[in-house]
Amino acid sequence: MIRKFYYGDIPEDAGSGGHAPSKDARSGGNTPSKNTGKDWPLWEVFVRSKQGLDHKHMGSLHAADAEMAIENARDVYTRRMEGVSIWVVESKHLHASNPDDAASFYDPANDKVYRHPTFYELPDELSHM
Amino acid sequence: MKYDESQFQEKIDQEIKIEPKDWMPETYRKTLVRQISQHAHSEIVGMLPEGNWITRAPSLKRKAVLLAKVQDEAGHGLYLYSAAETLGTSREEMVNDLLSGKAKYSSIFNYPTLTWADIGAVGWLVDGAAILNQVALIRTSYGPYARAMVRICKEESFHQRQGFEILLTLSQGSPEQKAMCQDAIDRWWWPSLMMFGPKDSESTHSDQSTKWKIKRKSNDQLRQEFVDMIAEQVKILGMTLPDPNLAWNETRGHFDFGEINWEEFWNVVKGNGPCNKQRLEDRNKAHDEGQWVREAAIAYAEKKAARSKSKAA
């Protein structure tokens, strides 16, 4: 039986590179293998594209320290003058809301349509408002 | 709130992107990790056939351009590794899988770059094929993957244009340069068509990747788009594609083309291509030789952190 493979989705059953695949060969699954945990720390990168605009999340990268993270971010995310300022923060320091709680978490905003200008019906002749 | 697969599918159907912390089926996660990391490995290994010509580029301008292009490929690899890491796999694990030969990368990079014209053919054909695929992937259902694709696509168009320009220059040169140009096209044409993978008709599975909108266009669809595009562009070079069956089909509104040598395709996938062994050896060598740098950087960062701590105390 032949499976359909997509570009960038190459069959798992055969080794590339002239190495015989080992018995437990597995590609891209996410059970840890010979992980020594020696990756450099992960950093999130935020770039201000021009003066007057907010910093925007661009992605992440690995670096040994903040200085290296900023230099790497310059090389990875601003090769074509995409930025005038870079922020980096170690990913472990970033806290996020939980998407599973989104319904209840954002619920307080749901029923308050009066916070929007369109809630108020005013005469058409009223201008500049 | 507890999620199940039907709710997940509903989100996908409504074109709502899936983000890293969202609930997702384990197979969705695994498929993505495999596909994104293979894509990343392809960018990284893809630097090797081109790096081969950096020191031998015919002019300083060509060398600067090629350096910039290879640097972009490294950047693309990094965007993609980062996207895969949001799914809970580590960089080290992915790199180890590449180095051990467990993980795959695009077979196209197991072909050698024999002449300078190959650098042109790689840019025009190989990057051209990659762009078609990547443009389709901008609409993929996983947010970080889609965002990485947006950045990559912006940068890739320079790659394809510089490749075409190399060939255009050769095509207007001496008889030897013209021959070199045609020879590169002849050698890269079929492997480029193979980049899109097996024919759709060989699929016997229900197609989960399409249902999950990880992939938005089929192999044959993309391959046809590529043939239609290149068959026209090659005329500007005054060169030909090595396929006697290539012909415009009025009724289909597409170019017909000959049969791909699938035996060769599977052979290269299975590790028996012209350069599989060399590519992996080169990656391993680069990784091993960078070992002391990785360790030194960590040691330096730790020392610096300790010093600033003692100063603060």
Side-chain angles (χ1 to χ4, degrees), chain B residues 50-178:
Chain B
E50 297 188 300
N52 181 31
W53 279 92
I54 289 175
T55 55
R56 294 178 289 159
S59 70
L60 189 58
K61 182 192 98 178
R62 296 290 187 196
K63 181 188 260 194
V65 169
L66 186 55
L67 266 172
K69 179 178 189 287
V70 171
Q71 193 189 4
D72 273 355
E73 308 295 2
H76 297 176
L78 293 177
Y79 302 156
L80 288 160
Y81 281 133
S82 298
E85 280 173 271
T86 63
L87 291 157
T89 182
S90 76
R91 178 75 59 93
E92 188 190 24
E93 196 185 332
M94 290 185 278
V95 170
N96 284 343
D97 282 354
L98 171 66
L99 297 178
S100 72
K102 255 188 212 173
K104 309 301 180 290
Y105 54 85
S106 181
S107 278
I108 192 79
F109 302 116
N110 290 319
Y111 289 86
T113 40
L114 302 177
T115 71
W116 171 251
D118 286 17
I119 297 305
V122 166
W124 177 40
L125 298 174
V126 176
D127 289 322
I131 289 169
L132 280 182
N133 175 65
Q134 291 174 152
V135 165
L137 281 173
I138 285 178
R139 290 170 54 243
T140 194
S141 59
Y142 188 57
Y145 193 22
R147 292 192 285 275
M149 282 303 122
V150 171
R151 269 196 297 275
I152 288 175
C153 287
K154 266 189 206 158
E155 299 180 354
E156 285 280 1
S157 76
F158 132 60
H159 298 180
Q160 199 189 11
R161 291 172 70 98
Q162 68 88 34
F164 193 84
E165 196 215 8
I166 289 174
L167 295 183
L168 190 62
T169 307
L170 289 170
S171 75
Q172 294 162 352
S174 66
E176 289 83 0
Q177 286 169 324
K178 285 180 186 170

Side-chain angles (χ1 to χ4, degrees), chain B residues 196-214:
Chain B
F196 297 99
K199 282 196 265 194
D200 295 348
S201 57
E202 290 182 358
S203 166
T204 49
H205 275 201
S206 70
D207 208 336
Q208 192 62 58
S209 276
T210 302
K211 201 172 146 229
W212 277 336
K213 297 187 179 174
I214 291 174

Side-chain angles (χ1 to χ4, degrees), chain B residues 256-280:
Chain B
D256 289 336
F257 55 101
E259 187 64 30
I260 288 168
N261 181 349
W262 293 111
E263 202 185 316
E264 176 183 330
F265 171 80
W266 288 112
N267 237 328
V268 182
V269 167
K270 284 176 182 151
N272 306 316
C275 300
N276 295 55
K277 194 163 173 283
Q278 188 193 337
R279 298 288 183 244
L280 224 58

